[in-house]
Amino acid sequence: MKTSIMLLSVLVAGGAMVGSGAANAALVHDVVTFTASDFETDVGSDPAPTNPVTGSFTISFDPTLSYTDETAGITLTGLNIALGSSLSFSYNAPTSTLPATTLVVGGISDGAQQVQFSPSTDDFWLFINDFATTPSFDQVGYSQTSVSDDNLFDTISGSVTVTPVIPGGVPEPSTWAMMLAGFVGLGFLGYRKTVRARVAA
């Protein structure tokens, strides 16, 4: 009877660990790289100083939620233009009336979806369409203080690659506790069987 109770507790602990993993299953963890070229001058008379523009970042978020100018969960890993602020992203979750999703990434100074260009800033925006299903490049725009007081460049020519990754983070304390409880339970079951074998002998 005691063995059955201990075995049940081990199974419950294991189920709880699976449940905690399922709770995080909705999160996406991606490495995103992009290239944008053939920039046009929207503001000012200078040509785009950097062409193509390339960059990469990692992002983790729940695609069933919407975000506006979020800085948590996104990390810039490469960009060949100047950025004068933290990186941020905005995202619209799919709905029955708006099934398409758009991920917008850019500096936080004027929001992820905008760039202040008069006066110029070191900022950019990147739009990725259908991010939750089949990500596709939409556009990149940017401004740079090194060019002039007023400048803005943009393009719809480019590509984007989204690579899912398995996060290598440390398990949460509750997960460690459940794992420990499971191992203790298994150890106790092994101990009980050994004691019974000795008594039988």
Side-chain angles (χ1 to χ4, degrees):
M1 179 64 176
K2 289 182 180 178
T3 302
S4 299
I5 292 172
M6 284 303 297
L7 182 58
L8 179 61
S9 69
V10 171
L11 293 174
V12 168
M17 283 190 290
V18 171
S20 69
N24 293 329
L27 295 178
V28 297
H29 306 279
D30 295 322
V31 174
V32 180
T33 59
F34 69 92
T35 299
S37 57
D38 302 327
F39 281 89
E40 297 182 1
T41 300
D42 287 338
V43 176
S45 58
D46 297 292
T50 304
N51 191 357
V53 170
T54 60
S56 62
F57 57 90
T58 59
I59 188 167
S60 299
F61 71 101
D62 185 340
T64 64
L65 303 177
S66 293
Y67 299 82
T68 302
D69 299 334
E70 181 64 56
T71 56
I74 188 167
T75 303
L76 185 66
T77 54
L79 185 64
N80 68 341
I81 57 174
L83 180 61
S85 67
S86 300
L87 193 64
S88 66
F89 73 94
S90 294
Y91 173 82
N92 63 291
T95 64
S96 58
T97 56
L98 187 65
T101 58
T102 300
L103 176 70
V104 184
V105 176
I108 192 64
S109 62
D110 204 35
Q113 302 183 60
Q114 303 178 80
V115 167
Q116 179 182 306
F117 57 86
S118 182
S120 58
T121 56
D122 291 328
D123 202 357
F124 82 104
W125 74 69
L126 163 67
F127 281 70
I128 302 174
N129 292 331
D130 301 316
F131 189 82
T133 53
T134 53
S136 62
F137 179 91
D138 182 67
Q139 61 177 286
V140 165
Y142 76 98
S143 177
Q144 296 285 273
T145 57
S146 61
V147 176
S148 65
D149 292 338
D150 303 291
N151 65 82
L152 180 64
F153 314 96
D154 79 350
T155 185
I156 57 171
S157 299
S159 62
V160 65
T161 302
V162 178
T163 306
V165 296
I166 298 172
V170 177
E172 297 177 2
S174 59
T175 303
W176 282 115
M178 286 184 284
M179 287 174 61
L180 182 59
F183 289 136
V184 168
L186 288 173
F188 182 74
L189 285 176
Y191 170 76
R192 294 282 294 171
K193 286 182 180 178
T194 302
V195 170
R196 285 184 181 171
R198 287 179 184 164
V199 170

